C-alpha cells in the first residue's frame, strides 16, 4: 500500500474509468438501434428497446466498475475522508444511506479488501499546507457582477424596446426583471464588506461570528442543484450551530476555498504542537 496517489488524481481516474464507459453505453446502444432502424434491419419500436438496454447496460457497468475503483482509490490515497467526500460531491459514488449502493457488484476478494480498508477511516486526514497562501485571506463579492449587471441592463433596455413596439406584456416583464436583477448585481459588485475571513486561528463569514479551528468541524465546499444550475456553498459545523453560505458570486473558487481552509487549519494544528 503506497498511498502516493492524490485525491484529485484518484477522482480524475474514476471519471475516466467509470463515467466514460457509462456515457458511451447510454448513447451508443440507442444510437446503434436508431441506425439499424433507419436501415430497416430492426423495427422502429426497437429504438425504445435500445434506450432501455442502454440504461440497463450503463447501470451494470457502473455497478461492476465502481467497486474496482473504490478498492484501488481508497487503498492508494492517504486522505480517505477527503476522497470519500469529494467522490460523493462529484457524483462518482453515492452517500452511505443511498439505496443505489445495494446494486454494487462485489467479487469476494474485493469485498474482503474493502472491509480491511475501513480501518483507514479511523485515522484523520493529513492536512497539507500551501506555502503560497498569505497569513490571512479576505474574500469579497466578485467584480464580475458588474458584467452581469450590464447584461441585465441590456435585457431591461430590450424590454423598453418591446414596450415601444406595442409588446406591452413581454416588455414590462423584461424591463422589470432586468432592472431588478441589474440592481441586485450592482449591490453585490459595490459591496466592500468582507464576506469570508480566514487565518491560522479560525474563520468567520458574513453570517457567522469568528470561530476557532478547534470549534470548526467538517469544513468543505458542497454543491446543490437548483433547477439547471449547480450552486456552491461553504459548509461547516461548529459548537451549537452550522454555516452554509452561497459562494457563487465571490472572488474565489470552490477549489481555492478548500485549499485555503486546509492550509490554515494545518497551520493552526502545527502551532499547537510547539
Amino acid at each position: 500500500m503506497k498511498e502516493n496517489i492524490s485525491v484529485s488524481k484518484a477522482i480524475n481516474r474514476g471519471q475516466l474509468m467509470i463515467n466514460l464507459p457509462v456515457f458511451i453505453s447510454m448513447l451508443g446502444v440507442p444510437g446503434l438501434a436508431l441506425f439499424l432502424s433507419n436501415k430497416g434491419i430492426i423495427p422502429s419500436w426497437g429504438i425504445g428497446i435500445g434506450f432501455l438496454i442502454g440504461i440497463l447496460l450503463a447501470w451494470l457497468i457502473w455497478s461492476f466498475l465502481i467497486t474496482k475503483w473504490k478498492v484501488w482509490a481508497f487503498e492508494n490515497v492517504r486522505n480517505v475522508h477527503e476522497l470519500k467526500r469529494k467522490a460523493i460531491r462529484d457524483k462518482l459514488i453515492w452517500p452511505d444511506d443511498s439505496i443505489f449502493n445495494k446494486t454494487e457488484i462485489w467479487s469476494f476478494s474485493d469485498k474482503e479488501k474493502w472491509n480491511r480498508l475501513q480501518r483507514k477511516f479511523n485515522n484523520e486526514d493529513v492536512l497539507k499546507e500551501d506555502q503560497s497562501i498569505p497569513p490571512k485571506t479576505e474574500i469579497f463579492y466578485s467584480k464580475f457582477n458588474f458584467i452581469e449587471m450590464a447584461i441585465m441592463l441590456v435585457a431591461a433596455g430590450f424590454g423598453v424596446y418591446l414596450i415601444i413596439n406595442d409588446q406591452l406584456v413581454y416588455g414590462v416583464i423584461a424591463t422589470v426583471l432586468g432592472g431588478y436583477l441589474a440592481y441586485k448585481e450592482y449591490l453585490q459588485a459595490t459591496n466592500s464588506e468582507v464576506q469570508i475571513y480566514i487565518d491560522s486561528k479560525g474563520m468567520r463569514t458574513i453570517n457567522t461570528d469568528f470561530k476557532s479551528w478547534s470549534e470548526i468541524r467538517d469544513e468543505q465546499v458542497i454543491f446543490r442543484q437548483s433547477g439547471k444550475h449547480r450552486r456552491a456553498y461553504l459548509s461547516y459545523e461548529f459548537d451549537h450551530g452550522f454555516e452554509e453560505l452561497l459562494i457563487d458570486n465571490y472572488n474565489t473558487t470552490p477549489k481555492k476555498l478548500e485549499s485555503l481552509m486546509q492550509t490554515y487549519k494545518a497551520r493552526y494544528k502545527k502551532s499547537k504542537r510547539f
Side-chain angles (χ1 to χ4, degrees), residues 214-232:
S214 63
E215 301 177 72
I216 296 173
R217 303 180 299 277
D218 197 25
E219 64 280 358
Q220 59 180 305
V221 174
I222 62 175
F223 293 90
R224 297 194 186 283
Q225 202 71 26
S226 177
K228 295 182 179 180
H229 302 287
R230 195 179 185 217
R231 299 190 177 278

Side-chain angles (χ1 to χ4, degrees), residues 200-238:
S200 58
K201 295 181 180 178
M203 173 168 55
R204 66 174 169 84
T205 73
I206 191 67
N207 298 330
T208 305
D209 294 335
F210 189 87
K211 304 295 179 184
S212 167
W213 288 116
S214 63
E215 301 177 72
I216 296 173
R217 303 180 299 277
D218 197 25
E219 64 280 358
Q220 59 180 305
V221 174
I222 62 175
F223 293 90
R224 297 194 186 283
Q225 202 71 26
S226 177
K228 295 182 179 180
H229 302 287
R230 195 179 185 217
R231 299 190 177 278
Y233 294 83
L234 164 63
S235 171
Y236 60 91
E237 298 178 12
F238 53 87

Side-chain angles (χ1 to χ4, degrees), residues 14-269:
Q15 299 286 6
L16 289 174
M17 176 180 171
I18 300 167
N19 290 346
L20 183 59
V22 166
F23 180 77
I24 292 174
S25 174
M26 291 187 69
L27 292 184
V29 176
L32 177 61
L34 180 62
F35 173 78
L36 295 176
S37 177
N38 289 336
K39 292 294 183 179
I41 299 174
I42 63 173
S44 58
W45 53 262
I47 299 174
I49 300 297
F51 274 100
L52 180 61
I53 293 174
I55 293 173
L56 293 175
L57 180 60
W59 196 263
L60 182 63
I61 291 171
W62 177 88
S63 298
F64 176 75
L65 291 182
I66 193 60
T67 59
K68 301 297 181 183
W69 175 82
K70 285 169 74 171
V71 169
W72 170 83
F74 285 88
E75 184 176 39
N76 289 280
V77 171
R78 168 59 180 85
N79 290 351
V80 292
H81 299 280
E82 179 186 359
L83 175 61
K84 181 178 180 180
R85 184 175 71 246
K86 290 185 176 180
I88 293 173
R89 183 193 69 186
D90 293 345
K91 298 183 178 180
L92 196 56
I93 63 175
W94 297 95
D96 289 338
D97 58 353
S98 173
I99 192 173
F100 296 117
N101 289 322
K102 298 184 182 299
T103 67
E104 294 177 347
I105 300 174
W106 289 90
S107 68
F108 180 78
S109 60
D110 283 343
K111 191 63 176 179
E112 280 193 324
K113 288 181 182 179
W114 181 245
N115 290 335
R116 289 196 299 268
L117 286 170
Q118 298 310 298
R119 293 195 292 266
K120 294 182 70 174
F121 286 93
N122 296 328
N123 302 320
E124 290 187 2
D125 288 348
V126 175
L127 300 179
K128 297 179 181 179
E129 181 179 353
D130 183 347
Q131 298 294 339
S132 67
I133 290 177
K136 67 177 183 179
T137 298
E138 294 178 337
I139 297 173
F140 302 87
Y141 273 111
S142 171
K143 297 306 178 184
F144 183 76
N145 287 294
F146 277 121
I147 298 177
E148 295 182 345
M149 179 191 72
I151 295 173
M152 292 302 103
L153 285 176
V154 171
F158 181 67
V160 173
Y161 170 80
L162 291 176
I163 292 173
I164 294 174
N165 287 273
D166 297 326
Q167 299 290 324
L168 186 61
V169 175
Y170 295 114
V172 169
I173 293 174
T175 301
V176 172
L177 186 60
Y180 167 75
L181 293 176
Y183 178 67
K184 182 180 177 182
E185 296 295 342
Y186 169 78
L187 291 178
Q188 292 184 350
T190 57
N191 188 332
S192 59
E193 191 171 1
V194 176
Q195 301 298 301
I196 304 173
Y197 174 89
I198 319 177
D199 64 19
S200 58
K201 295 181 180 178
M203 173 168 55
R204 66 174 169 84
T205 73
I206 191 67
N207 298 330
T208 305
D209 294 335
F210 189 87
K211 304 295 179 184
S212 167
W213 288 116
S214 63
E215 301 177 72
I216 296 173
R217 303 180 299 277
D218 197 25
E219 64 280 358
Q220 59 180 305
V221 174
I222 62 175
F223 293 90
R224 297 194 186 283
Q225 202 71 26
S226 177
K228 295 182 179 180
H229 302 287
R230 195 179 185 217
R231 299 190 177 278
Y233 294 83
L234 164 63
S235 171
Y236 60 91
E237 298 178 12
F238 53 87
D239 295 345
H240 311 299
F242 69 94
E243 170 67 300
E244 189 170 296
L245 178 68
L246 180 67
I247 63 169
D248 281 350
N249 293 324
Y250 292 166
N251 62 343
T252 189
T253 64
K255 185 176 180 180
K256 178 63 176 177
L257 184 53
E258 286 198 328
S259 178
L260 288 170
M261 291 189 293
Q262 186 177 78
T263 289
Y264 287 122
K265 192 163 190 177
R267 291 176 183 175
Y268 169 81
K269 290 189 173 184

